[in-house]
Structures are given as C-alpha cells and as structure tokens.
Amino acid sequence: MKPEQAYAFLREHSLETAHLGSALALLYWDQRTMIPREAHPHRAEQTARLTSLVHRRRTDPARGEALAALDGAALVRDPLAVEAVNVREWRRAFDRDTRIPERLAVELARTCAEAETAWESARPANDWEGFRPHLERVLALRREQAECLGYEVEPYDALLEEYEPGERAADIEPVFAALRERIVALLDRLRGSSAWRAPLPGATHAGSEGSPIARRFPVPAQRAFSRRVIEYLGFSFASGRLDESAHPFSTSIGPRDARITTRYDERHFNAAFFGSVHETGHSLYELGLAPEHWGTPVGEAVSLGIHESQSRLWENMVARSRGFWSFFHADAQLAFEALRDVDLDEMHFAVNEVQPSLIRVEADEVTYNLHIMLRFELELALLRGDLTVADLPGAWNERMRAYLDVEPATHADGVLQDVHWSAGLVGYFPTYALGNVYAAQLFAAAARDLAPGEPDGLEGLFARGEFQALLDWLRDKVHRHGMRHLPRDLVREATGTERSADFLADYLDAKFGALYGA
Ligand code: ZN
C-alpha cells in the first residue's frame, strides 16, 4: 500500500467510526434527557451493540497495516502537519486498543458496569462494606490493564495517559504540591478575615444558610436567565441545546451540534447557573474545533484537562468575576425577586463565598482543588500499593480533616460521593485541577494580549458586556488546534510560558484577598 492510499483509508475509517460515535453520543444524550422510562432495555441493547461495533473497528487489523505503510513516509515528516498529527494519534489509539486482550476488555466493561450499579445503591444506603469488593475488583483489573498498556515509571501513568496524553504522575505531583501550599496559606488568611463565615457542621456546599444565593429562585426565571447569559457569552441555540438531566453534562453530536444539560434547585442559585456556564465552556471548545477536520484527531479535543480549562475559565474567571456581575447585576435583579435588595458587592461575594464543605461538586473555587488533590493522592497510593481499599475511608477522612478541617459523618458524604472509581475512571481526577491550572494560565495570557496595561485586566471588558474578544482569543490559541499539540505544549504555545501553578495561585490570592480584605 502506498502511503497516500494508506492515509486515505485511515481517514475514511476514522470518519466512519466518528459517525457511529456521534450516533452513540446522541443516543446517550436522549437516554439522559428525553427517553420514556420503558424504552431503557432496548436502548441498553442498542448502545451495547453499537459500542462493540465501534470497538471492533478500532482494533481492525487493516488499520495496523495502513499505519505500518505510513512509517517514516514523507507525508508525516513534518510533525505539526495535519497528516502527521492524525497518524500519530491514530497510532497511539490503535496501540492502546490492541494491547488489551479481548478477555480483559470484556471483564473490565462488565465489572465496571456492576460496580457502578452497586455504587448507585451503596451511596444512598451509606453501605461502604457492600461496595468495597466491587472497588477491589475494579482496581485489580485496571492494574492489569496498566500492565498490558505498558509504562515507563509506574502503572498509574498508563491510566492517566488515556485522559491526559503525555502526562505522568511524577510531573503532576510537584504542580499540585506547590498549589496546595499556596491554597492552604490563602485559606488560613481568609479564616482570619471578619468576612469569614465558618461552615455549619456537615455542610455539603459553600454559600449556605443566610447567603442571598440560598433564597428562593423560581425555576422558570432561572431557566430564562441562564439561557440569556450563555447566549451572550457565545453559546448559539442554532447549534446547541440546553436541557435538564439528573447529572449535568455536555456532549457534542457533530460540528454544529453541542448539547448541554443542567439541574435546577429552587433553593440555590449557584448550582444551575454556574453549572450551565461551565457546560457552555465545554461546548464553546467543541464548537471552536475545526469543522473541516471533524472525525479525525486534528478536529478533536486534545484532553480532559484542556476541556476542563475551558469550562472552568468561563465558569469562574468570567462568570464569577466582578466585571461580569457589574454588567449582569441589574438583569439578575429584574429576573429574581430574591435579589432586589442585594447590591453588587453582596452578589459578587455571595457567588464566590469560600466555605470548606464535604462535597466536591458543590465546592467553592478555592477549596475545590483540595478535593481533587485528595482524590489524586489516594488513587495514586492505591495504584502504588501504599494503601489498601479497606483503609481508604480512613485515609479519606484524615485528609479531609487535614486539608479542609471538615470530616464527613457518613461514607455517602465522603468516600462514596463520586461515581468515578466505580466506573473504573482511575487517573481521571487530576484532570479537573489541571484544568484550573491551565485556565488561570490561559486567562492571564489573554488579559496580557487583550487588555495590556489595564490594572483590572479583562474585567473592564466584561463590565461593558464584551466577551467576544476572549472567545476569539481562545478559538485562535486553543480550540482550532484540536490534537495538534499535546496539552502541556498547547498551553506553552498559547501563553508563551511553561506550565506553572503560580498563575492559579496568584489569581486566587488576588481575587479572594480582595473579596475578604485579607
Ligand atoms: Zn467539566
């Protein structure tokens, strides 16, 4: 086979698989939002059959032959050319997929499905002992998988590679350690401020009791306000939808079809509003990928960490900024009776209030990263054999005390709170905090480029309702590149600086120091 023929074959193969994948994504979206209850068994069968079709295509030996025909070909000599990037990523995925024996792939899928079902009933029942053997099986199989995949330093790296290509645990540890030190110091300063409100014992989220955001927010008004804001930020309802689901998510069906969901709570403003903006950030990334490369790696998102950098940037650095609220404050007061007597300062403080609490997904911007580090350290210890599953709840509670000074009274609010480990997602958590690190680094570079010499950076633009320049910058520096660069290289190219936790730590210090007068 000539290299040109091999490339054409692989491209067509990739596109066909991507179309199957996008049909699966649409089935998944429907299953979480619209499906009638009794349709679930057929949907499960439909999904299983399509998934196995996709898996067979991914391990098709014909792909291996075509990839071999491209080894050292002139077509792939320039490493940043579209062809070279696609071939590099097809090769990486093919090698990973074919290194896992079919027996292990099937056993993993079955064990994770059982563990997730067990978790769904174990969490509300607070039944750690019932869930423990499932987690032990999941971890044993993931360790076996890591051995099949291969690694240079340690098994964890083989799993991390799936979510954050090019990263190793040993690269991430010092970044998180530096960040943890700065955040713990910041928390100490905030605790000493007169604005500090200690969380109530057992508080599951920040900004509870007595905060204006814990008043009554009728769902229709929340729905209308969220839609207006995300459209203003650049989400187009001509190429996307906002619906409701029990667990919010975003998915991309095709180049002009981004779907996001949220969940409304009448008694808490933050969850649905910032959740919608968060998922909008994910969607803007998907919509900013090069449509002409859809279905091939150069037209795909590069990693979970970069994806999360986009969602967290819009959620926190934009929608929790003072500039944003000075522009939208009057609008919010019109939309919600509950905010009529809440001035701009109070609103800005309320949506940013820091209160160490038990549940990661409800955490404030400062403590969120500590929730992630705790999970990263524990899963790393499990994989390294330094911690047994039996000792996991104790280790969890001990770290919650050390980092956040709170301790869960139940496993449901502790070690059982996240679905990830039950679903086999080990190596996934660090991408959340990496997302925050990248978001701050990108945001600082955008401010330098778009608002040079302005003491308030991009806040001045936001206060005038100008968000388009930031979106254009992200499209140019991040979105349109797809998988051209590995995540860390992409951020270096976009910002001109090496990855560092300092950008996030500096941003948090400045923002929360001002909010708390600390
Ligand atoms: Zn996200």
Side-chain angles (χ1 to χ4, degrees), residues 323-334:
F324 175 95
W325 282 102
S326 61
F327 184 71
F328 278 111
H329 180 239
D331 246 13
Q333 284 191 313
L334 268 180

Side-chain angles (χ1 to χ4, degrees), residues 278-279 282 308 311 432:
H278 178 97
E279 302 303 341
H282 283 304
E308 197 67 5
S311 57
Y432 289 125

Side-chain angles (χ1 to χ4, degrees), residues 165-380:
E167 288 303 327
R168 307 283 171 264
D171 301 328
I172 295 179
E173 280 181 303
V175 178
F176 284 5
L179 186 59
R180 188 175 57 233
E181 200 172 307
R182 298 269 311 260
I183 289 179
V184 168
L186 172 61
L187 265 177
D188 275 345
R189 286 200 343 260
L190 300 185
R191 280 197 183 94
S193 152
S194 60
W196 176 262
R197 296 192 312 145
L200 297 174
T204 51
H205 50 56
S208 48
E209 301 293 310
S211 164
I213 54 160
R215 293 177 181 173
R216 201 178 151 268
F217 295 89
V219 171
Q222 287 196 56
R223 206 178 278 133
F225 184 69
S226 292
R227 290 177 72 89
R228 201 160 61 247
V229 169
I230 66 173
E231 192 161 26
Y232 210 93
L233 296 180
F235 185 87
S236 159
F237 285 94
S239 51
R241 292 184 56 90
L242 169 61
D243 293 278
E244 286 164 49
S245 68
H247 301 283
F249 67 96
S250 72
T251 185
S252 167
I253 315 292
R256 309 294 323 149
D257 189 351
R259 315 275 177 106
I260 63 177
T261 70
T262 192
R263 181 184 46 195
Y264 297 99
D265 176 355
E266 280 219 333
R267 300 260 149 220
H268 207 262
F269 172 78
N270 281 9
F273 179 72
F274 291 105
S276 299
V277 177
H278 178 97
E279 302 303 341
T280 294
H282 283 304
S283 275
L284 292 174
Y285 182 23
E286 291 285 338
L287 291 169
L289 294 165
E292 68 276 21
H293 294 304
W294 186 85
T296 64
V298 122
E300 283 167 23
V302 63
S303 75
L304 292 183
I306 297 296
H307 232 303
E308 197 67 5
S309 78
Q310 300 305 292
S311 57
R312 302 286 289 183
L313 184 147
W314 287 99
E315 176 193 353
N316 291 329
M317 283 144 206
V318 178
R320 282 188 162 96
S321 71
R322 193 176 167 84
F324 175 95
W325 282 102
S326 61
F327 184 71
F328 278 111
H329 180 239
D331 246 13
Q333 284 191 313
L334 268 180
F336 304 108
E337 187 85 47
L339 297 179
R340 301 275 151 90
D341 64 341
V342 180
D343 69 21
L344 173 60
D345 286 337
E346 290 169 310
M347 189 63 190
H348 183 222
F349 183 85
V351 297
N352 282 295
E353 182 162 17
V354 178
Q355 282 185 321
S357 59
L358 297 172
I359 306 294
R360 171 184 65 87
V361 294
E362 310 281 1
D364 59 77
E365 206 179 340
V366 175
T367 58
Y368 184 86
N369 297 293
L370 298 174
H371 286 269
I372 298 305
M373 289 171 202
L374 168 151
R375 286 156 178 76
F376 171 65
E377 288 161 11
L378 294 179
E379 61 182 22
L380 198 53

